[in-house]
Amino acid sequence: MAQKAAKTLATRNAATLSRTHLISAALHILFLILHFVFGRPRSLKPYFFLAVPTLAIEYYLDLVGRPKFNPDGSLRTAGEDLNATGLTEYMWDVLYWTHGCIFAACVFNDRAWWLWIVIPFYSVYLAYTTVMGVKKGFAGMGGGSAESDARQGPKSKTQMKKEKRGDRPKQRAVR
């Protein structure tokens, strides 16, 4: 059963990587053809500064996600899961956003490279939400008593009815 899961992962990774390489090659070739053949005013400086690092990301994703086979054709390793969350997901986001920026630069000229500024803002947003999530997770670990937690938490319908009648919830002694 585990071998079936590995084969499925290997097939999915190979298809994802092939599709990504084709899209990336088509966009880069389109940009370079528009720059060199048609002589449209495009600067190569932002292209190399912003698009070439994503080629390194693409190479890294290929390195860790490409399935490897034995000489007899059997699967040696399926590679890492390219649909994993965390850093892998962020790298895909950067790669896809850069593909969009290259396409926009082909259509709208060099001003479209300014769209790339979204990536640092997105990084700050992800870092902020991660820190706040960790902080929220640690908030309930100590410092508060059960009595203060009961007052702050949501109340059930039964608790609200008892309070309305004047009944107070009974506190149990902690042993």
Side-chain angles (χ1 to χ4, degrees), residues 4-17:
K4 182 181 178 191
K7 287 180 182 178
T8 303
L9 179 64
T11 304
R12 188 175 61 227
N13 281 355
T16 301
L17 289 169

Side-chain angles (χ1 to χ4, degrees), residues 31 33-43 105-109:
F31 182 85
I33 285 174
L34 289 174
H35 176 75
F36 289 115
V37 175
F38 294 109
R40 293 180 71 181
R42 284 179 178 69
S43 175
C106 289
V107 175
F108 301 115
N109 242 345

Side-chain angles (χ1 to χ4, degrees), residues 46 59 72 94 98 106 126 174:
Y59 174 74
D72 62 351
V94 170
T98 304
C106 289
L126 285 178
V174 179

Side-chain angles (χ1 to χ4, degrees), residues 4 7 23 26 48 58 95 101 107 109 115-116 151-152:
K4 182 181 178 191
K7 287 180 182 178
I23 291 169
F48 283 116
E58 193 171 339
L95 190 67
C101 289
V107 175
N109 242 345
L115 294 171
W116 214 79
R151 279 190 234 133
Q152 293 175 355

